[in-house]
């Protein structure tokens, strides 16, 4: 059955019919690279400049039917999501994304047009950041698997780590919370209203550029919300040896945007705001006022290392775990 998230491929030849090298050539031909990519696809390795003398590096994987579904998302959507979630990790270090390297596995009977659309989505999202796709690999696999390595430039600044939060700081967020979790619930329950939220699940919207803004503003610690606000801030609390207290009053805007969808889905909007991941918003701790574009949502306390909500333990869903369930 074809859902609204699928993409027609018509009579496109398959990967097996076209062949690995012809597919790769089609994916990279005519693409424009940013200045940071000195040598792109075509040799045994790419060459990417590191003007700072250091490179921020991260990697992440997406597995079909675990991290995305092709009956919900078009291949173009999947490509955008793969790039966005990796770029968010570089943002969370206070760096600027420069390039990506992509490994892709799929069955031999995958339409080549679907892979073209996937690559178009990747290049589309990379262009939004001013980055390029410097190289990658293509292999046969029982299902779609996408592995992305992302490189970033610290631009002379120290990396913003998770371990620097200090008591007395404010906790602030750039970006939205709970939207992806809401969209997932709506897709899962077959609710076709709230198209904006459904869209936010298949293609996240990290606040590009705000990681560097936070670093310049003196952020003590920072993380992107990939697993859930409470779960991700717990990493900051534990590595920094501090407590973090979140305010539902300060998060009311996020909650209000989700109340109607939560009622339709029979869910708790607060569980989406506090426990929902994959929004890839940025959360940081600042000794003084948060920079423009950031919302203060809590404060940093003297230990123990824990995350509270309105001064109490949060009893609801706290966030994603890869090997749970």
């Amino acid at each position: 059955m074809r859902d609204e998230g699928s993409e027609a491929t018509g009579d496109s030849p398959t990967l097996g019919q076209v062949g690995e090298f012809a597919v790769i050539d089609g994916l990279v031909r005519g693409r424009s690279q940013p200045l940071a990519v000195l040598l792109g696809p075509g040799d045994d390795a790419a060459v990417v400049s590191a003007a700072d003398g250091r490179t921020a590096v991260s990697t992440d994987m997406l597995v079909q039917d675990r991290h995305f579904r092709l009956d919900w998302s078009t291949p173009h959507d999947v490509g955008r999501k793969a790039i966005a979630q990796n770029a968010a990790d570089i943002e969370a270090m206070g760096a600027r994304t420069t390039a990506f390297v992509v490994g892709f596995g799929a069955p031999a009977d995958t339409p080549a047009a679907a892979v073209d659309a996937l690559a178009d989505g990747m290049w589309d999202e990379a262009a939004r950041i001013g980055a390029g796709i410097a190289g990658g690999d293509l292999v046969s696999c029982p299902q779609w698997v996408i592995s992305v390595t992302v490189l970033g430039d610290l631009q002379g600044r120290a990396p913003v780590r998770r371990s620097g939060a200090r008591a007395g700081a404010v906790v602030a967020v750039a970006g939205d919370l709970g939207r992806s979790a809401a969209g997932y619930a709506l897709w899962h329950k077959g609710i076709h209203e709230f198209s904006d939220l459904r869209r936010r699940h298949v293609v996240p919207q990290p606040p590009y550029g705000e990681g560097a803004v936070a670093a310049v503003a003196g952020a003590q610690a920072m993380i992107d919300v990939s697993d859930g606000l409470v779960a991700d801030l717990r990493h900051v609390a534990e590595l920094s040896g501090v407590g973090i207290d979140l305010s539902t009053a300060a998060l009311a805007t996020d909650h209000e945007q989700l109340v109607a969808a939560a009622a339709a889905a029979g869910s708790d909007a607060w569980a989406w705001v506090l426990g929902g991941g994959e929004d890839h918003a940025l959360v940081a701790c600042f000794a003084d006022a948060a920079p423009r574009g950031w919302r203060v949502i809590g404060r940093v306390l003297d230990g123990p290392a824990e995350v509270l909500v309105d001064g109490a333990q949060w009893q609801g869903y706290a966030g994603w775990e890869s090997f749970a369930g």
Side-chain angles (χ1 to χ4, degrees):
M1 182 178 74
R2 185 180 185 275
D3 202 297
E4 69 182 73
S6 64
E7 180 169 288
T9 54
D11 297 323
S12 167
T14 66
L15 295 183
Q17 293 169 329
V18 175
E20 175 187 359
F21 298 111
V23 171
I24 292 174
D25 182 61
L27 297 181
V28 302
R29 188 190 310 117
R31 305 288 187 177
S32 297
Q33 297 284 4
L35 295 178
V37 179
L38 305 179
L39 181 63
D43 285 272
D44 289 314
V47 178
V48 179
S49 67
D52 178 88
R54 301 165 298 167
T55 301
V57 181
S58 184
T59 190
D60 207 351
M61 296 182 67
L62 293 88
V63 178
Q64 182 180 349
D65 297 328
R66 181 65 171 172
H67 302 107
F68 64 90
R69 288 176 48 165
L70 289 171
D71 57 340
W72 293 1
S73 305
T74 67
H76 190 279
D77 292 337
V78 176
R80 287 190 60 188
K81 181 175 184 176
I83 293 300
Q85 70 179 46
N86 279 273
D89 287 331
I90 297 299
E91 290 277 342
M93 299 299 290
R96 180 182 67 84
T97 302
T98 55
F100 300 87
V101 178
V102 180
F104 176 60
D109 61 0
T110 300
V115 183
D116 289 340
L118 174 76
D120 285 343
M122 290 182 173
W123 281 97
D124 182 358
E125 194 70 19
R128 296 166 190 260
I129 318 165
I133 299 175
D137 192 19
L138 178 66
V139 299
S140 177
C141 187
Q143 61 189 11
W144 282 30
V145 177
I146 306 164
S147 179
V148 179
T149 297
V150 58
L151 309 177
D153 180 5
L154 288 161
Q155 300 179 305
R157 297 181 295 269
V160 183
R161 303 178 62 184
R162 300 176 178 182
S163 56
R166 297 293 178 261
V170 298
V171 180
V173 64
D176 300 321
L177 297 167
R179 273 49 166 194
S180 179
Y184 173 82
L186 294 166
W187 277 105
H188 185 69
K189 297 187 177 184
I191 299 171
H192 295 278
E193 292 77 24
F194 310 101
S195 59
D196 288 348
L197 294 177
R198 288 159 60 88
R199 183 69 181 160
R200 290 292 290 273
H201 175 67
V202 298
V203 180
Q205 296 180 13
Y208 293 134
E210 292 298 331
V213 168
V216 170
Q220 298 174 340
M222 184 158 49
I223 193 169
D224 85 296
V225 182
S226 56
D227 296 328
L229 181 63
V230 171
D232 288 317
L233 280 176
R234 187 174 293 126
H235 296 310
V236 174
E238 291 173 350
L239 289 170
S240 299
V242 297
I244 292 176
D245 189 15
L246 297 172
S247 165
T248 54
L251 292 164
T253 300
D254 291 298
H255 181 263
E256 290 166 3
Q257 294 294 318
L258 303 175
V259 169
S267 301
D268 177 9
W270 281 118
W272 292 343
V273 172
L274 295 167
E278 294 196 323
D279 284 301
H280 301 291
L282 298 176
V283 183
C285 303
F286 299 93
D288 300 310
R292 174 180 288 186
W294 290 70
R295 297 178 287 137
V296 174
I297 60 171
R299 57 198 179 102
V300 181
L301 313 172
D302 284 324
E306 59 184 355
V307 178
L308 306 174
V309 178
D310 293 335
Q313 294 287 337
W314 169 244
Q315 300 301 320
Y317 177 68
W320 167 269
E321 293 184 24
S322 290
F323 293 98

